[in-house]
Amino acid sequence: MEQVNKVIGTELSLFEKKFSESVKSPNYLLDRIMGFIIKRKGKQMRPMFVFLSAKIAGQVNEASYRAAGLIELLHTATLVHDDVVDNSMKRRDFFSINALWKNKIAVLVGDYLLSKGLLLAVEHGDYRILQITSRAVKEMSEGELLQMEKARKLDVDEGVYFEIIRAKTASLLSAACSAGAWSATGDEGVTDHFRLFGEKVGIAFQIKDDLFDYGEDNIGKPTGIDIKEKKMTLPLIYTLQHADMATRRKIMYIVKNNSTDRAKVNEVIKYVQQSGGIDYAQEKMKAYRQEALDLLRKYPDSPETRAMVELVNFVIDRKY
């Protein structure tokens, strides 16, 4: 992402240092685990959205760095807790915190990260940014619980699906953009504009993630895992809506009763591929991306807006 690095490379380098300092602890075990997390962090996509939103709306300042730190702390905390809930032993091809230090420590580490984020905002009086991010965490929890509830009955239609992913995934990306905008402007109208922009990108991001489940590329995520977990995603919802009664019953039976049978899961994947479910989901994903880019056109062409377009396209076109 050449343009992104040109525009916010300096900010990201300084953010790395500030973030590492923010998670230090006098407790040896905790400090060791924080070091493990820092070394294995991902692309820091959400801080990128914070800084680019701030630069497009105004200027990056210390509040922008705190907003990026708060978003990244909350995001990391949710990942640690998710691995415990999902009993996942790997995270980005490395052992997860719960795999190395067991569930109890992992839960406490997630709590520590969450508290550090809250204190970072409170100690500097960033109450509006705290409000934005706290709402996102609430919505993420609601989205996950709604998905779990629906997985029991498999009664997810397209409307419910979008409600789930808006809350579960898009809310934090939306918070990153709106927090960045607020840090630079303190303007509610601008902040809400970037909130909606981030929400559109976040929905497209999650549809892309769901599409990986039906692909054949080596993406580091086994195909069919969503079916195994009885998650009703857009390609499958579309297939069920357009299948004849016999096919629909067969798919539903497999998802309910044979979701751990690899051969049966492959049958469902084949149905989805042949039904046009993947093409439909891809078109929806592209439509949300376009809506996001249309919102960005409120601002004149600049290195910052071009970098944001590059970042949005990277998020949607990624191969893993």
Side-chain angles (χ1 to χ4, degrees):
M1 292 191 290
E2 185 178 347
Q3 185 68 19
V4 172
N5 288 327
K6 280 182 181 178
V7 172
I8 56 169
T10 301
E11 285 82 1
L12 287 172
S13 295
L14 182 55
F15 171 74
E16 287 274 2
K17 296 175 184 176
K18 288 176 177 287
F19 188 81
S20 296
E21 286 297 319
S22 72
V23 296
K24 284 187 177 296
S25 170
N27 181 287
Y28 172 76
L29 175 60
L30 195 51
D31 202 48
R32 182 180 168 200
I33 296 172
M34 290 302 107
F36 177 85
I37 289 174
I38 292 294
K39 288 179 181 178
R40 288 156 182 80
K41 281 174 59 59
K43 302 178 187 69
Q44 299 189 123
M45 181 182 74
R46 287 157 191 83
M48 290 180 189
F49 276 102
V50 172
F51 291 128
L52 284 174
S53 297
K55 279 208 165 187
I56 292 168
Q59 289 186 339
V60 169
N61 53 46
E62 284 302 316
S64 308
Y65 285 102
R66 293 194 296 271
L70 174 52
I71 291 287
E72 191 68 359
L73 284 163
L74 297 183
H75 176 58
T76 307
T78 61
L79 294 182
V80 173
H81 283 163
D82 283 350
D83 286 340
V84 174
V85 172
D86 297 337
N87 196 30
S88 176
M89 296 294 107
K90 289 287 187 75
R91 167 71 58 180
R92 300 191 189 98
D93 293 327
F94 292 100
F95 285 115
S96 59
I97 302 298
N98 49 299
L100 294 172
W101 286 283
K102 306 305 179 186
N103 285 350
K104 185 173 183 179
I105 288 177
V107 170
L108 293 170
V109 166
D111 293 346
Y112 174 78
L113 290 164
L114 178 61
S115 67
K116 291 293 285 188
L118 298 176
L119 286 170
L120 180 63
V122 170
E123 288 173 354
H124 292 88
D126 297 324
Y127 299 117
R128 182 67 179 98
I129 292 173
L130 180 59
Q131 183 184 45
I132 289 168
T133 50
S134 297
R135 183 177 291 118
V137 174
K138 166 184 164 290
E139 291 180 349
M140 289 166 67
S141 301
E142 290 172 342
E144 287 284 0
L145 288 166
L146 178 59
Q147 186 171 63
M148 292 170 69
E149 174 193 339
K150 294 298 183 179
R152 296 174 183 174
K153 300 177 182 178
L154 301 182
D155 59 343
V156 177
D157 59 21
E158 195 168 312
V160 172
Y161 167 78
F162 280 109
E163 182 184 349
I164 289 170
I165 68 171
R166 185 203 60 77
K168 188 184 80 164
T169 302
S171 59
L172 192 58
L173 200 53
S174 176
C177 294
S178 54
W182 174 265
S183 73
T185 67
D187 185 294
E188 288 291 352
V190 173
T191 299
D192 192 59
H193 187 83
F194 277 89
R195 176 197 63 78
L196 187 57
F197 165 79
E199 183 177 287
K200 302 287 186 185
V201 178
I203 290 172
F205 174 89
Q206 185 58 53
I207 296 173
K208 177 71 171 186
D209 203 54
D210 292 341
L211 280 164
F212 284 143
D213 211 47
Y214 297 92
E216 297 175 348
D217 296 332
N218 180 15
I219 57 170
K221 176 183 176 183
T223 55
I225 195 72
D226 287 340
I227 298 171
K228 182 180 178 182
E229 295 177 358
K230 298 183 175 63
K231 291 179 181 177
M232 302 290 284
T233 58
L234 191 56
L236 182 57
I237 291 168
Y238 177 90
T239 300
L240 290 169
Q241 286 176 338
H242 292 81
D244 58 64
M245 187 60 71
T247 302
R248 179 182 171 85
R249 284 176 178 170
K250 183 174 183 178
I251 292 173
M252 292 293 284
Y253 183 85
I254 291 172
V255 175
K256 284 182 178 179
N257 303 290
N258 303 123
S259 62
T260 58
D261 184 325
R262 186 68 225 181
K264 294 291 186 182
V265 169
N266 284 340
E267 277 189 53
V268 174
I269 291 174
K270 192 171 182 180
Y271 277 127
V272 171
Q273 290 171 339
Q274 293 174 345
S275 74
I278 292 173
D279 291 338
Y280 177 76
Q282 286 175 336
E283 288 306 310
K284 281 286 188 181
M285 176 187 71
K286 291 174 184 176
Y288 273 100
R289 167 168 57 184
Q290 191 57 52
E291 287 178 27
L293 295 179
D294 288 344
L295 286 167
L296 194 59
R297 289 200 180 96
K298 173 184 176 181
Y299 293 89
D301 179 61
S302 67
E304 290 76 21
T305 56
R306 290 195 292 274
M308 184 68 93
V309 171
E310 183 182 64
L311 180 56
V312 169
N313 287 332
F314 173 81
V315 163
I316 309 307
D317 296 333
R318 73 194 195 279
K319 302 299 182 184
Y320 55 92

